[in-house]
Amino acid sequence: MRRRPGLSARMKLALSYAGFLFVAGALLLAVVWAFLLRYVPDNSQGLLGISPNRYLLVHTFAPAAAVAMAFLLVFGLVGGWLLAGRMLAPLTRITEAARTAGKGSLSHRIRMEGRQDEFRELSDAFDSMLEQLESHVAEQQRFAANASHELRTPLAISRALLDLARQDPAQDRAAIIERLHTVNTRAIDLTEALLLLSRGERGTFTRESVDLSLLAEEAAETLLPLAEQRRITLDVTGGTAVTRGSAELLLRMVTNLVQNAIVHNLPADGTVTVHTGAYGDTSVLRVENTGRPLPPDLLPTLTEPFHRGTERVRTDEHAGVGLGLAIVHSVVRAHDGTLGLSPRPTGGLVVTVRLPAAP
């Protein structure tokens, strides 16, 4: 946005200092006139016949007062300019840091020294903002790189299968078509997951009253065949837990949690427990599953997009795309909630979602 040129903040402060000093001098002269000179007799004899009269005092005092006022004005301008420059020096550093960040360099920090004041608070807030921006940009870059890699894999496999079918007509076309269908389905699932993740990050959805207990029952009913296939006991307990948000996104959140709990479980005879409840102004959804012990350093990375821990990699038809908990985390943040991950002492994971309860 182009603006008309104007006075700098330093010049405005200098003029303000000089104006204030000039007004203070004028008020001082007015006080002298009001309380001193007006009591001097204005006659040829003066005061008691020996002191000068008012006319002489005024004509003697006026030139000196004018010189003093001119000195105050110049002194105010020069002193105000120097003081304003000293006071605004931290703001200059902040401006330079903002210009550096505007050019794409987010690693620069002000780190202003000295005691705490308004400028130090501003610089600390600016440094914190730069740190968050740098972290967010790095996360987005990693996400874009991982998404490109994940999308490239099924496309490369599809091209290889098509090249194979074109170069060798004797190949079993039914098998190739089936493999292409599997690869294409995975690419579609990945694309839909990316779109859902982006929608959750933007928070563009209509909010309505949603009962998490009903969503838990629906997700459990949908995934019950998968649990039975893996010989895993799936239980839904608790009571109503009403919140406000998108029913579609919250259902996807619950489904992802239950599916992860089933897939990343014991080979057989495992359990998955889904519990819902309302506690004050918070609606809670807890999904607990058995499984292998999880290293503590693995938990903070589980919500990163496309992250797959060594103990959680699947090679079967439920391999996933590495966005399950990332979508859950995104949906929870979009609904102003919190997501907690904690390992079970005997192995497995406990995922707790806390969302604001509906009024």
Side-chain angles (χ1 to χ4, degrees):
M1 179 178 179
R2 299 187 61 181
R3 301 178 185 271
R4 292 182 299 175
L7 296 177
S8 64
R10 185 176 184 181
M11 178 58 70
K12 291 179 181 178
L13 288 175
L15 291 175
S16 300
Y17 295 153
F20 178 79
L21 196 58
F22 186 83
V23 171
L27 289 176
L28 181 60
L29 293 178
V31 170
V32 171
W33 172 261
F35 292 95
L36 181 61
L37 292 181
R38 71 174 182 170
Y39 293 108
V40 177
D42 191 13
N43 53 50
S44 59
Q45 297 298 322
L47 184 62
L48 302 178
I50 58 176
S51 299
N53 56 27
R54 188 188 306 173
Y55 175 81
L56 293 176
L57 286 177
V58 169
H59 281 73
T60 304
F61 179 70
V67 173
M69 292 298 295
F71 174 78
L72 287 177
L73 184 60
V74 174
F75 180 79
L77 286 173
V78 176
W81 178 264
L82 296 177
L83 288 176
R86 183 178 179 84
M87 293 296 297
L88 295 177
L91 189 60
T92 303
R93 292 181 57 184
I94 297 175
T95 303
E96 293 176 353
R99 288 174 178 169
T100 303
K103 296 178 181 178
S105 176
L106 300 177
S107 60
H108 178 72
R109 299 292 183 271
I110 302 174
R111 294 189 177 90
M112 193 171 295
E113 305 84 5
R115 298 183 178 181
Q116 190 71 11
D117 59 12
E118 289 81 358
F119 286 115
R120 271 70 179 182
E121 291 180 0
L122 178 60
S123 66
D124 292 343
F126 193 82
D127 284 344
S128 178
M129 181 191 69
L130 287 179
E131 184 176 355
Q132 294 180 5
L133 281 176
E134 185 180 19
S135 175
H136 182 70
V137 169
E139 180 180 353
Q140 292 298 320
Q141 290 175 346
R142 290 196 304 269
F143 176 81
N146 291 332
S148 300
H149 176 74
E150 293 288 338
L151 286 172
R152 180 184 179 183
T153 300
L155 294 177
I157 295 175
S158 299
R159 185 176 65 178
L161 292 174
L162 291 173
D163 290 342
L164 178 62
R166 183 177 58 182
Q167 295 172 5
D168 188 2
Q171 288 288 334
D172 187 357
R173 292 185 177 272
I176 294 179
I177 291 175
E178 182 63 26
R179 293 180 63 185
L180 281 173
H181 180 269
T182 302
V183 174
N184 188 57
T185 301
R186 179 177 174 82
I188 292 175
D189 292 341
L190 175 59
T191 304
E192 290 179 350
L194 290 173
L195 292 175
L196 185 63
L197 183 62
S198 175
R199 182 183 173 190
E201 291 289 348
R202 294 194 310 267
T204 55
F205 51 82
T206 303
R207 294 180 182 269
E208 57 182 339
S209 294
V210 181
D211 189 353
L212 296 179
S213 63
L214 298 180
L215 300 184
E217 292 177 0
E218 182 177 352
E221 183 179 356
T222 302
L223 296 172
L224 183 59
L226 176 63
E228 292 177 346
Q229 177 186 352
R230 295 172 176 271
R231 293 187 295 171
I232 292 176
T233 304
L234 178 58
D235 293 326
V236 178
T237 63
T240 59
V242 182
T243 186
R244 289 192 60 83
S246 169
E248 178 188 359
L249 291 178
L250 291 174
L251 177 59
R252 184 60 181 265
M253 175 195 73
V254 178
T255 303
N256 282 4
L257 289 176
V258 177
Q259 182 175 356
N260 279 355
I262 295 174
V263 173
H264 305 291
N265 211 307
L266 296 175
D269 300 326
T271 60
V272 174
T273 304
V274 183
H275 179 81
T276 59
Y279 303 92
D281 58 351
T282 304
S283 295
V284 178
L285 168 72
R286 186 174 68 250
V287 180
E288 181 176 356
N289 67 288
T290 55
R292 298 178 180 177
L294 295 176
D297 56 348
L298 179 65
L299 294 180
T301 65
L302 293 180
T303 57
E304 294 182 5
F306 304 107
H307 182 88
R308 301 183 181 94
T310 304
E311 292 82 359
R312 298 174 65 85
V313 173
R314 305 293 301 189
T315 57
D316 55 13
E317 68 276 11
H318 299 284
V321 295
L323 288 174
L325 287 179
I327 292 177
V328 170
H329 191 208
S330 174
V331 172
V332 171
R333 286 190 303 178
H335 288 77
D336 303 321
T338 59
L339 176 66
L341 304 176
S342 59
R344 296 178 71 250
T346 57
L349 186 66
V350 178
V351 181
T352 305
V353 176
R354 292 180 173 86
L355 298 175

